[in-house]
Amino acid sequence: MVQFHEHIIIDLLEDSQGGLVILSAGLGLHKLIAALLHLHHPSQGSLLILSSSPSQKSSILQNYDSTLSSSSQSPQPSEITSDLPAHHRLSLYSSGGIFFITTRILIVDLLTHRLPTTSVAGVILLNAHSLSDTSTEAFIVRILRSSNRALFVRAFSDRPDAMVSGFAKAERTLKCLFLRKLHLWPRFQVYVSQDLERNPPEVVDIRVPMSPYMIEIQKAVIEVMDACLKEMRKTNKVDVEDLTVENGLFKSFDEIVRRQLDPIWHTLGKKTKQLVSDLKTLRKLLDYLVRYDAVNYLKYLDSLRASESFRSVWIFAESSYKIFDYAKKRVFRFGRLDGGKSAGQSKTATTKKRKLENSNREKEDSAASTDNSAVLQEVLEEPPKWKVLRDILHEIQQEREREFVSDKELITEDRGHNSGIVLVACKDEHSCMQLEDCMNKGSHKVMWEEWEKYLLSKVELQALPKRNKKKTKEPKGFGMLDGVIPSVSGQKVEISSISRQEHEALLAVASEISKKFEKNIVVEDNLQKSEGSGTHKRRRGKGKNKNTLTNGKSEKKAATSGKSEIHSSEDDNRKNQCISTDAGGFLEQPNEVASSEKWWLQKHGQGFHAELLDNNKQLPPVHFHALDTDQHILDILQPSVIVVYHPDMAFVREIEIYKAENPSKEVKVYFLFYEESTEVQKFEASIRRENGAFESLIRQKSLMMIPVDQDVSIGLDSSTEPESIISQNLLTRKAGGRKDAEKETQVIVDMREFMSSLPNVLYQKGMRIIPVTLEVGDYILSPLICVERKSIQDLFGSFASGRLYHQVEMMSRYYRIPVLLIEFSQDKSFSFQSASDIGDDVTPNNIISKLSLLALHFPRLRIVWSRSLHATAEIFASLKANQDEPDEAKAIRVGVPSEEGIVENDVRAENYNTAAVEFLRRLPGVTDSNYRAIMDACTSLAELALLPVERLAELMGGHKAAKSLRDFLDAKYPTLI
């Protein structure tokens, strides 16, 4: 633990009530929490840890175990889950231990009085930036503080940028947790900067130039993003200051735009809504350009073109064509041969391939080839960072060999405990696996494998069943969304013709590769049958250790032999390479493709022999780490060299903490940046954003207005326990009209509803919350009123799955007043769609039509619309007026059959036949006004069929309706001749 962690702990312990700590990302929050856990003693009571993610929990436990001393009396942290029975959880709460627990389990145990509040010493809250006054964490703190004044609450957050979103976010968080102290620890704080800069690691900043195509793609994407932002500014509904390309590089940009547009989302047009989605897509294109290789980037663009089609605005921007064109040129080029020297070369290449494959059919096809052949030339541009990373690893290995020769290695090990491990930090798991394959197999083979996967995906896509092509109509849209690409300089015919030929060429090459794979599979199966264990030994020799890379000659030989087995013609084609990097060497003529035309594939073998020499060089042991996993492995691996392949601000801070804790260890850090790329811009902007967030928090802290006695006056009106409200009413003189003190307001709530914040708001309104497991409904307000609550997202999902129909049917069966509550978010539009989008006809995909059909099908259903959580609480209070309080025991039994199969509390009968009622309502003469009378007079449909016309006229309210029903029932079946 570094020294500034001790300062944070000392500041927290000064206030017995706790405090809110906001520190920079990567400054060892898990180590700070682990140190606080060591200070806990079982005699103080139980310590509860809330809102921790799985990665945070594992990091805290790992650091806690590593720093646990034999003399420490603090208990081992454990986890309380819903699998534990109630009595077991009660014993754990009283044991004085340290527990990770979810908010849903804890709030239910608090409301059911399974948790004695006096046995809790304190609460540690992580991710405080996600809290609000209606969150379940605030609900828990309110209940605990109301009966346990000595409780401390310590909240932590390492997301300062999230703490400045919205109005006075830090101040509101302090108030909802009943705290008064705000502790700010940025990277530029005096103690932090002194500790981290006392023994800094050796840093090597390497700026890797991007390839020309990458530069052009980045430029085109930025141009398209700027065009979309200009279109967004024309709406005059978004703050112009936030609409910059720099802000568009971050995920929070989507939140900023949506937060501004959500209240008026239903008034926006389709184009504006699509622009919001397009900006997110363009940000991913910039991010993936520096993270993925050329083939995977092209594959992602192909998926965008197929999925977004004419709906996207950015695809039809002027510069978007460059993105697809340059991305394709990084992978392959397509052209036609004119029967000259190139055609002869391709013929020689295919002749050798024909000899290797030994196929008579292919002999005939190649002999009948024409001079009008098309060429698909591989380019397979490798990411520039791959070669730089290999050079870095070679340099590290050479330095270690020189140290070993000069007898300096022993001195280094004695002084710095050098483990010899090189840690390479990447953004995601895919990049880690690809880089590991690149170091093992060579970059050319990795690119070739990605190219094969891309081609095989084309074959698989072609093999999928096609939809009915007759349904294709003119695209419905307007303006830029009409799905028509404007023709540039009259070349619309050439572009479509060449793209069709190019697609056919890709499919032809992909089918040939798939045939090779099938042949190789058959050959390998035959070898397994004949050789037996010999093949297994050879395959076992190809395995690689994921944690250590040893690139020796024997392994390289195995990788090369495997390559020749799969691509038998590739090595022969390299002898007659027809490499042309000049696009002008191809004749891009829009000729129609004949059915007998042959497609030739020119192999890309440039730099292959040089790569063989590089792969024979020894590499140091390397471990690849994915930053997305949020695992802290620096203390475990103890690396001496760290290569930051994808720069990340939080990981840079972790390296600084690691070096500060190990001042005697020699640590060398390599930073790989793409020169003049958005990668550098994003990294620098993230530091500026964090510093700006802390500066804003420092200003807010100087102006905060926190009540001095807020920890004493905790919710006098509604936040105290219901028993205290009753006691106050008993001491008050009963005036005219005052309610009886014994009658308290209570709501029965389903356990699953505690994932939302509505129970917290109801509790603030003074209602007693009774958590139970309900089979029917979500909230029981009275013996007659049952409420099914649906958020907007859940409403659409329930309609799609049919679950809502069943839920409303069950409520209508067991309760007199079934209520469907549709709850909107407070910061979003209070409307499904704009008035102009609501049609006159009933359509199966329209949400308004579905609600109308639901109301027609269940006449007793009441639909209630709520603007926010607080509006829902007011609605519940008005619905409960002049109603009896619900019975907990009866609400639990509703919908649950007994051992005899009898269902209690059924409104109509013990066996409510829904199908029979639906059949009755569809009979001639039966209407909504008379079907209830018929059901009360008849016990079954069979009894109805025997009633005379006079009796039917009495029940149905008229002789005409009775005669129509009687004629329908007495009608004979038609006879078939």
Side-chain angles (χ1 to χ4, degrees):
M1 186 174 65
V2 288
Q3 191 173 0
F4 72 86
H5 283 168
E6 299 177 1
H7 290 287
I8 298 176
I9 295 175
I10 291 173
D11 290 346
L12 276 175
L13 296 179
E14 286 180 356
D15 192 351
S16 60
Q17 298 295 320
L20 172 61
V21 178
I22 303 175
L23 72 164
S24 295
L27 290 187
L29 178 60
H30 60 289
K31 298 183 178 181
L32 180 63
I33 302 296
L36 280 174
L37 298 185
H38 282 299
L39 299 177
H40 178 71
H41 194 274
S43 61
Q44 300 173 354
S46 298
L47 181 60
L48 305 179
I49 306 175
L50 301 178
S51 304
S52 62
S53 63
S55 59
Q56 288 176 330
K57 182 174 65 176
S58 61
S59 299
I60 292 172
L61 291 175
Q62 179 181 340
N63 197 269
Y64 182 89
D65 295 336
S66 62
T67 57
L68 186 64
S69 60
S70 58
S71 60
S72 177
Q73 297 181 358
S74 55
Q76 180 70 24
S78 59
E79 185 178 3
I80 296 179
T81 62
S82 57
D83 298 334
L84 298 175
H87 66 277
H88 192 185
R89 295 204 300 268
L90 176 60
S91 61
L92 289 177
Y93 290 140
S94 305
S95 63
I98 303 172
F99 304 105
F100 290 91
I101 186 171
T102 60
T103 56
R104 180 181 171 187
I105 299 174
L106 183 56
I107 190 60
V108 170
D109 287 345
L110 281 173
L111 293 173
T112 54
H113 305 288
R114 294 172 185 159
L115 169 60
T117 56
T118 55
S119 64
V120 180
V123 176
I124 291 180
L125 283 168
L126 301 178
N127 302 313
H129 52 269
S130 62
L131 302 183
S132 64
D133 54 349
T134 59
S135 60
T136 309
E137 290 84 356
F139 192 8
I140 292 170
V141 173
R142 184 178 292 108
I143 296 177
L144 289 173
R145 277 287 180 87
S146 62
S147 56
N148 186 2
R149 299 290 180 177
L151 180 85
F152 65 83
V153 178
R154 292 164 184 161
F156 299 88
S157 173
D158 56 356
R159 290 274 308 279
D161 55 336
M163 292 299 296
V164 294
S165 62
F167 177 73
K169 177 68 177 294
E171 183 176 348
R172 289 186 286 111
T173 304
L174 287 171
K175 288 183 178 180
C176 73
L177 297 177
F178 306 100
L179 299 174
R180 298 183 58 221
K181 291 291 184 68
L182 176 63
H183 306 277
L184 301 178
W185 290 87
R187 169 64 178 81
F188 55 81
Q189 209 268 354
V190 177
Y191 293 129
V192 179
S193 59
Q194 287 179 354
D195 291 344
L196 298 185
E197 295 172 5
R198 188 175 293 115
N199 293 296
E202 181 184 354
V203 178
V204 180
D205 192 353
I206 301 176
R207 301 300 173 106
V208 183
M210 293 193 297
S211 66
Y213 287 147
M214 293 177 67
I215 296 175
E216 293 297 330
I217 292 174
Q218 177 179 279
K219 181 180 177 181
V221 174
I222 292 178
E223 289 178 359
V224 175
M225 182 179 287
D226 189 50
C228 291
L229 290 173
K230 288 179 180 178
E231 290 289 332
M232 185 76 73
R233 293 190 190 101
K234 294 179 182 179
T235 60
N236 296 326
K237 296 180 180 179
V238 189
D239 189 3
V240 181
E241 295 181 358
D242 293 332
L243 295 183
T244 61
V245 176
E246 181 176 301
N247 288 337
L249 301 177
F250 298 93
K251 290 183 179 179
S252 58
F253 179 77
D254 303 331
E255 301 173 1
I256 294 172
V257 177
R258 286 303 299 264
R259 186 167 58 246
Q260 296 185 27
L261 294 179
D262 273 339
I264 56 174
W265 188 256
H266 63 290
T267 64
L268 300 177
K270 292 182 179 179
K271 181 178 177 181
T272 306
K273 293 179 180 179
Q274 186 61 43
L275 283 172
V276 177
S277 176
D278 288 349
L279 289 172
K280 180 179 179 180
T281 303
L282 292 171
R283 189 193 69 241
K284 289 183 178 179
L285 285 178
L286 282 176
D287 189 22
Y288 294 164
L289 177 64
V290 296
R291 281 172 54 185
Y292 294 160
D293 59 90
V295 179
N296 281 309
Y297 192 74
L298 179 61
K299 187 185 299 184
Y300 178 68
L301 284 174
D302 289 345
S303 66
L304 287 181
R305 178 180 284 171
S307 61
E308 298 192 359
S309 64
F310 66 89
R311 293 174 298 177
S312 295
V313 179
W314 74 270
I315 287 184
F316 302 103
E318 185 177 357
S319 301
S320 64
Y321 175 76
K322 300 177 183 177
I323 302 175
F324 293 92
D325 186 42
Y326 289 128
K328 183 175 64 177
K329 289 181 178 179
R330 294 177 67 198
V331 181
F332 67 90
R333 293 187 185 183
F334 175 74
R336 309 190 61 83
L337 298 179
D338 55 353
K341 183 177 179 181
S342 298
Q345 289 175 348
S346 62
K347 185 176 180 180
T348 304
T350 42
T351 303
K352 291 184 176 295
K353 179 175 70 174
R354 183 184 66 233
K355 291 179 180 179
L356 288 171
E357 293 178 354
N358 194 15
S359 174
N360 295 327
R361 181 179 56 82
E362 292 184 4
K363 287 181 181 180
E364 297 174 359
D365 292 342
S366 62
S369 61
T370 62
D371 291 336
N372 191 23
S373 301
V375 171
L376 191 68
Q377 179 198 10
E378 299 171 4
V379 178
L380 301 183
E381 178 183 281
E382 299 169 4
K385 278 189 179 182
W386 285 9
K387 184 178 184 304
V388 176
L389 177 61
R390 178 173 288 278
D391 292 342
I392 290 173
L393 296 179
H394 288 164
E395 178 185 341
I396 294 170
Q397 184 62 26
Q398 291 174 2
E399 289 180 357
R400 291 181 177 177
E401 290 175 356
R402 286 196 298 268
E403 288 180 358
F404 181 78
V405 172
S406 58
D407 294 331
K408 292 183 179 180
E409 189 178 32
L410 296 177
I411 302 176
T412 304
E413 290 183 355
D414 294 338
R415 184 179 68 231
H417 307 286
N418 194 342
S419 63
I421 295 178
V422 178
L423 178 66
V424 179
C426 306
K427 183 68 176 177
D428 51 10
E429 288 285 354
H430 176 267
S431 300
C432 292
M433 296 173 62
Q434 194 175 53
L435 284 178
E436 185 175 355
D437 290 341
C438 182
M439 297 301 107
N440 280 331
K441 306 174 183 178
S443 57
H444 181 84
K445 182 172 177 58
V446 172
M447 289 300 298
W448 176 260
E449 290 177 352
E450 295 292 344
W451 169 241
E452 282 184 335
K453 293 177 184 177
Y454 175 76
L455 292 175
L456 292 175
S457 65
K458 296 280 186 183
V459 176
E460 294 173 359
L461 187 63
Q462 189 74 11
L464 292 177
K466 302 294 186 300
R467 294 183 178 180
N468 189 3
K469 295 184 179 180
K470 294 181 180 180
K471 294 183 180 180
T472 57
K473 298 180 181 179
E474 292 295 329
K476 297 180 180 180
F478 57 90
M480 298 178 69
L481 301 179
D482 59 358
V484 179
I485 303 177
S487 59
V488 182
S489 66
Q491 294 180 355
K492 184 175 180 181
V493 180
E494 285 86 0
I495 293 174
S496 61
S497 176
I498 292 176
S499 61
R500 184 171 61 252
Q501 298 173 20
E502 177 184 294
H503 180 67
E504 293 179 359
L506 288 173
L507 290 178
V509 175
S511 62
E512 291 296 327
I513 293 179
S514 62
K515 291 177 183 178
K516 290 180 185 178
F517 272 112
E518 293 176 359
K519 286 185 177 181
N520 288 326
I521 291 173
V522 174
V523 171
E524 288 180 0
D525 291 340
N526 295 332
L527 288 174
Q528 287 180 5
K529 292 179 182 178
S530 60
E531 296 181 6
S533 59
T535 305
H536 294 289
K537 291 180 181 178
R538 182 177 59 189
R539 288 188 174 183
R540 198 178 302 117
K542 293 182 183 180
K544 300 291 187 298
N545 188 355
K546 292 185 177 181
N547 296 331
T548 306
L549 295 179
T550 55
N551 198 354
K553 294 183 179 179
S554 60
E555 293 181 351
K556 182 60 197 173
K557 183 178 180 181
T560 308
S561 63
K563 185 172 184 177
S564 61
E565 289 175 5
I566 298 176
H567 316 292
S568 57
S569 64
E570 183 180 354
D571 295 332
D572 294 328
N573 286 336
R574 288 196 189 97
K575 299 177 182 178
N576 301 297
Q577 293 175 4
C578 304
I579 301 169
S580 175
T581 57
D582 187 8
F586 296 120
L587 299 177
E588 298 185 357
Q589 299 175 357
N591 299 329
E592 293 297 325
V593 182
S595 59
S596 61
E597 187 174 16
K598 293 292 292 182
W599 304 100
W600 309 124
L601 177 63
Q602 288 187 350
K603 306 297 180 183
H604 173 67
Q606 188 173 8
F608 178 75
H609 298 290
E611 188 182 48
L612 285 176
L613 298 176
D614 289 340
N615 289 338
N616 289 331
K617 297 179 181 179
Q618 188 73 18
L619 293 179
V622 182
H623 182 93
F624 293 91
H625 170 59
L627 298 175
D628 284 348
T629 57
D630 294 331
Q631 296 178 353
H632 307 279
I633 61 170
L634 292 178
D635 295 327
I636 301 174
L637 295 179
Q638 297 284 326
S640 56
V641 179
I642 303 173
V643 181
V644 184
Y645 191 82
H646 293 136
D648 182 76
M649 181 184 63
F651 186 68
V652 172
R653 306 272 172 75
E654 291 180 20
I655 296 174
E656 291 182 315
I657 295 290
Y658 167 67
K659 183 63 174 70
E661 291 178 340
N662 302 276
S664 62
K665 186 177 183 61
E666 292 185 357
V667 179
K668 192 172 184 179
V669 183
Y670 291 89
F671 283 99
L672 295 184
F673 286 97
Y674 277 118
E675 191 175 7
E676 296 181 356
S677 67
T678 55
E679 185 179 42
V680 180
Q681 186 179 0
K682 184 176 180 180
F683 181 78
E684 295 174 351
S686 62
I687 298 177
R688 290 195 300 268
R689 280 161 53 90
E690 186 184 82
N691 293 338
F694 270 112
E695 292 172 0
S696 176
L697 287 171
I698 291 171
R699 288 193 299 268
Q700 291 182 30
K701 184 179 180 180
S702 63
L703 301 174
M704 278 184 184
M705 298 179 64
I706 305 295
V708 177
D709 58 344
Q710 79 158 351
D711 54 342
V712 179
S713 59
I714 299 177
L716 291 178
D717 55 345
S718 60
S719 299
T720 52
E721 290 288 340
E723 289 78 10
S724 61
I725 297 177
I726 298 173
S727 61
Q728 291 176 9
N729 289 339
L730 288 174
L731 298 175
T732 307
R733 180 180 62 86
K734 291 185 179 181
R738 179 174 292 279
K739 289 184 178 181
D740 189 12
E742 295 181 357
K743 184 178 180 180
E744 59 178 347
T745 304
Q746 63 184 21
V747 178
I748 299 176
V749 184
D750 186 39
M751 293 282 193
R752 294 176 288 268
E753 278 299 302
F754 284 93
M755 300 296 290
S756 68
S757 300
L758 183 56
N760 182 14
V761 179
L762 296 176
Y763 184 82
Q764 294 180 32
K765 293 294 181 182
M767 299 182 187
R768 182 188 174 193
I769 307 299
I770 304 176
V772 297
T773 301
L774 296 176
E775 291 293 329
V776 179
D778 293 329
Y779 296 86
I780 309 299
L781 305 183
S782 73
L784 305 179
I785 303 176
C786 175
V787 179
E788 180 71 30
R789 173 187 166 273
K790 293 291 181 185
S791 62
I792 302 302
Q793 184 178 3
D794 193 17
L795 179 68
F796 280 84
S798 299
F799 268 125
S801 63
R803 188 174 74 253
L804 182 59
Y805 179 89
H806 175 71
Q807 291 171 337
V808 175
E809 182 183 23
M810 297 297 288
M811 287 196 301
S812 303
R813 176 176 176 179
Y814 293 107
Y815 289 93
R816 296 284 183 182
I817 308 176
V819 178
L820 173 62
L821 172 68
I822 301 176
E823 189 175 81
F824 290 77
S825 298
Q826 188 170 3
D827 55 346
K828 294 186 179 181
S829 59
F830 188 46
S831 174
F832 285 125
Q833 53 191 163
S834 59
S836 60
D837 295 336
I838 300 177
D840 298 331
D841 298 332
V842 176
T843 57
N845 297 326
N846 194 345
I847 186 66
I848 303 297
S849 301
K850 293 180 180 180
L851 284 172
S852 304
L853 293 175
L854 188 69
L856 289 173
H857 198 77
F858 298 98
R860 288 192 295 112
L861 177 66
R862 301 293 179 259
I863 300 178
V864 177
W865 309 82
S866 175
R867 185 181 296 273
S868 63
L869 294 171
H870 297 281
T872 303
E874 296 292 340
I875 293 172
F876 280 10
S878 61
L879 289 177
K880 286 180 64 63
N882 302 322
Q883 292 282 339
D884 295 333
E885 296 300 326
D887 188 356
E888 179 182 354
K890 291 182 179 180
I892 295 175
R893 293 197 303 269
V894 168
V896 180
S898 61
E899 295 180 357
E900 293 80 11
I902 300 175
V903 179
E904 299 182 2
N905 298 330
D906 200 326
V907 175
R908 293 297 176 190
E910 291 179 355
N911 296 314
Y912 188 77
N913 195 339
T914 306
V917 175
E918 296 300 324
F919 180 78
L920 171 65
R921 296 184 63 181
R922 284 165 172 77
L923 292 177
V926 179
T927 61
D928 291 339
S929 59
N930 60 19
Y931 84 95
R932 300 177 190 274
I934 297 175
M935 290 176 60
D936 293 336
C938 303
T939 58
S940 63
L941 290 173
E943 184 178 346
L944 173 65
L946 300 177
L947 291 180
V949 180
E950 294 77 10
R951 178 58 176 162
L952 287 176
E954 295 177 3
L955 297 176
M956 301 178 69
H959 185 76
K960 183 178 179 181
K963 187 176 185 304
S964 62
L965 178 60
R966 188 75 266 171
D967 292 343
F968 174 79
L969 294 175
D970 294 340
K972 296 182 179 180
Y973 290 111
T975 58
L976 299 177
I977 300 175

